[in-house]
């Protein structure tokens, strides 16, 4: 496909919005239609910089509304779906799994059903060839389960072993996408990513939560011993990886997209504390802007660290092996964790008008 018209589901969320901003900048010839239900983590403010772009369109709606999805695929002549829309917070999946089953499984099924009808069935009924298309499904490393400290990182051949309602619902959606390719010939790709971080990250997640709590002099909650290890991926590097999959990935294949940055949670929190201490010591204006940040003003943000009871079924370690994506597609993250986390801290210090209203949502 030369010019693409993308339907980006969940495009007002954290990763989806960053992907939309990246795509419109790097591929100005393409049209992007965002479909988002604007639940608690979806935010139109994430897309304000492209609202006036004639190549951008926003639709407020639910991926479970199959008729709506069909009308968008037809009316906007969409030839590429990039499916981000998902409930993704593990803690919420433990206390309220229903929304995860509905959005992540039934929502993905709704999209697949609509795509099959518009791209395959209707052209065939008219004696035409299938419409050239791609259904790209964005998944997570959590479908693979957990690793010990010495286990090799997850590859695309690692058996699925999800341990939370969230990861189980994502695993189910992955299997549905695979089935629609093998059964019906829908042209699909799937990517499984590691933990993302960066601008527009909803402040209930670890990194933005730590930054916000330091600025309000609130405790920094650490589950258990804080030695849970995650591979961290700067969100724009994730967008770059998906772009490579869309442009050069093989139909029916899965691709791991990782940051090659394994960090224990407690070490991430300490790193953020150190960066914040440094920012406040070198910029007197921050004390005026954030008058409640007493601990970091005194160079002691780390004193806010508080250990809390571990989460039920908490996976110990995730790690992505992105060798296949590197070898086949030329993927390589641009940001190290050190460069990415500094960019992220600076973004949150500058954009408090974005995240402060979300703390009460």
């Amino acid at each position: 496909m030369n010019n693409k018209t993308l339907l980006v589901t969940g495009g007002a969320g954290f990763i989806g919005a960053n992907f939309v901003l990246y795509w419109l900048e790097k591929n100005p010839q393409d049209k992007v239609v965002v479909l988002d239900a604007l639940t608690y983590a979806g935010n139109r403010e994430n897309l304000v910089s492209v609202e006036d772009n004639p190549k951008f369109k926003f639709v407020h709606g639910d991926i479970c509304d199959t008729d709506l999805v069909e009308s968008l695929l037809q009316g906007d002549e969409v030839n590429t779906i990039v499916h981000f829309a998902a409930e993704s917070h593990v803690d919420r999946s433990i206390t309220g799994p229903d929304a995860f089953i509905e959005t992540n499984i039934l929502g993905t099924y709704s999209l697949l059903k609509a795509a099959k009808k518009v791209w395959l069935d209707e052209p065939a009924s008219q004696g035409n060839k299938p419409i050239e298309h791609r259904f790209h499904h964005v998944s997570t490393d959590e479908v693979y389960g957990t690793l010990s400290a010495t286990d090799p990182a997850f590859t695309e051949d690692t058996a699925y072993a999800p341990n939370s309602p969230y990861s189980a619902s994502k695993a189910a959606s992955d299997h549905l996408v695979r089935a629609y390719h093998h059964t019906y010939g829908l042209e699909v790709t799937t990517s499984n990513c590691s933990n993302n971080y960066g601008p527009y990250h909803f402040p209930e997640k670890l990194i933005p939560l730590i930054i916000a709590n330091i600025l309000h002099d609130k405790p920094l909650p650490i589950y258990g011993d804080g030695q849970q290890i995650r591979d961290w991926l700067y969100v724009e590097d994730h967008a770059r990886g998906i772009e490579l999959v869309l442009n050069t990935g093989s139909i029916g294949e899965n691709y791991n997209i990782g940051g090659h940055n394994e960090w224990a949670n407690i070490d991430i929190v300490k790193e953020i504390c150190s960066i914040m201490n440094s920012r406040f010591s070198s910029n007197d204006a921050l004390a005026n802007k954030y008058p409640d940040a007493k601990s970091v003003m005194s160079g002691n943000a780390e004193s806010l660290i508080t250990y809390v009871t571990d989460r039920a079924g908490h996976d110990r370690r995730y790690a992505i092996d992105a060798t296949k994506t590197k070898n086949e597609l030329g993927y390589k993250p641009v940001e190290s964790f050190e460069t990415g986390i500094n960019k992220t801290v600076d973004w949150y210090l500058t954009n408090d008008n974005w995240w402060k209203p979300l703390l009460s949502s």
Side-chain angles (χ1 to χ4, degrees):
M1 267 179 283
N2 293 322
N3 288 4
K4 297 181 176 69
T5 298
L6 285 71
L7 176 64
V8 180
T9 70
F14 163 47
I15 305 177
N18 275 282
F19 173 81
V20 169
L21 299 179
Y22 174 87
W23 194 273
L24 287 170
E25 178 185 354
K26 301 297 183 180
N27 302 276
Q29 74 283 357
D30 292 343
K31 180 179 179 181
V32 174
V33 180
V34 167
L35 175 62
D36 200 294
L38 295 179
T39 56
Y40 75 96
N43 188 346
R44 285 291 297 273
E45 291 297 315
N46 298 354
L47 300 168
V48 68
S49 65
V50 295
E51 288 284 358
D52 295 330
N53 187 329
K55 294 289 190 178
F56 172 79
K57 175 181 176 180
F58 180 85
V59 178
H60 182 196
D62 194 328
I63 59 172
C64 291
D65 185 346
T66 310
D67 290 340
L68 172 60
V69 175
E70 288 178 14
S71 71
L72 292 174
L73 296 181
Q74 292 167 332
D76 290 284
E77 299 183 335
V78 170
N79 54 27
T80 304
I81 292 175
V82 186
H83 177 32
F84 291 97
E87 295 286 345
S88 64
H89 195 243
V90 175
D91 286 355
R92 288 178 183 257
S93 82
I94 293 170
T95 58
D98 288 6
F100 291 74
I101 304 304
E102 181 174 353
T103 298
N104 299 354
I105 301 177
L106 298 181
T108 301
Y109 171 61
S110 170
L111 291 169
L112 290 165
K113 186 165 56 171
K116 174 179 175 289
K117 179 179 178 180
V118 173
W119 290 340
L120 301 180
D121 297 345
E122 291 182 348
S125 69
Q126 299 165 13
N128 297 322
K129 293 181 179 179
I131 295 171
E132 188 178 5
H133 65 273
R134 177 72 67 88
F135 186 112
H136 181 73
H137 177 57
V138 181
S139 190
T140 171
D141 57 0
E142 296 191 42
V143 298
Y144 297 124
T146 188
L147 296 169
S148 74
T150 58
D151 284 335
F154 300 128
T155 72
E156 290 82 357
D157 295 325
T158 301
Y160 277 27
N163 290 319
S164 70
Y166 161 59
S167 56
S169 67
K170 288 297 289 184
S173 68
D174 292 9
H175 292 317
L176 280 171
V177 172
R178 174 185 170 85
Y180 263 69
H181 171 64
H182 286 277
T183 302
Y184 303 113
L186 196 69
E187 297 193 348
V188 309
T189 44
T190 296
S191 55
N192 297 77
C193 70
S194 51
N195 280 31
N196 281 218
Y197 68 100
Y200 302 110
H201 204 176
F202 194 78
E204 72 181 354
K205 298 299 181 83
L206 177 64
I207 287 174
L209 176 68
I210 294 304
I211 295 170
N213 280 15
I214 289 172
L215 295 174
H216 288 89
D217 216 44
K218 292 182 177 180
L220 310 181
I222 305 297
Y223 281 128
D225 61 4
Q227 293 300 319
Q228 302 86 2
I229 294 173
R230 302 293 182 261
D231 175 41
W232 289 91
L233 174 66
Y234 190 66
V235 67
E236 190 169 292
D237 281 327
H238 188 185
R240 290 188 186 96
I242 293 173
E243 181 181 39
L244 287 169
V245 175
L246 288 174
N247 289 337
T248 59
S250 297
I251 301 301
E253 289 294 314
N254 286 49
Y255 294 95
N256 282 349
I257 301 176
H260 308 305
N261 288 302
E262 288 190 55
W263 283 69
N265 286 350
I266 184 61
D267 293 332
I268 286 178
V269 173
K270 289 179 178 179
E271 179 72 10
I272 294 171
C273 288
S274 176
I275 294 170
M276 294 284 279
N277 287 338
S278 175
R279 294 295 188 274
F280 271 75
S281 68
S282 63
N283 186 351
D284 293 339
L286 288 175
N288 293 325
K289 186 175 183 179
Y290 298 104
D292 295 331
K294 303 300 185 185
S295 297
V296 71
M297 283 182 203
S298 63
N300 197 20
E302 198 170 319
S303 66
L304 297 170
I305 291 174
T306 304
Y307 291 89
V308 299
T309 302
D310 206 355
R311 180 165 70 199
H314 202 169
D315 290 334
R316 194 64 173 172
R317 173 175 168 247
Y318 307 137
I320 280 282
D321 182 343
T323 300
K324 173 183 175 180
T325 313
K326 176 185 177 182
N327 290 345
E328 293 188 13
L329 309 182
Y331 167 75
K332 182 181 180 181
V334 172
E335 303 293 342
S336 67
F337 186 74
E338 290 81 359
T339 62
I341 196 64
N342 274 278
K343 286 183 177 182
T344 301
V345 168
D346 289 338
W347 189 89
Y348 278 90
L349 288 173
T350 303
N351 291 278
D352 58 309
N353 60 320
W354 178 86
W355 57 263
K356 278 185 176 179
L358 301 178
L359 294 178
S360 58
S361 63

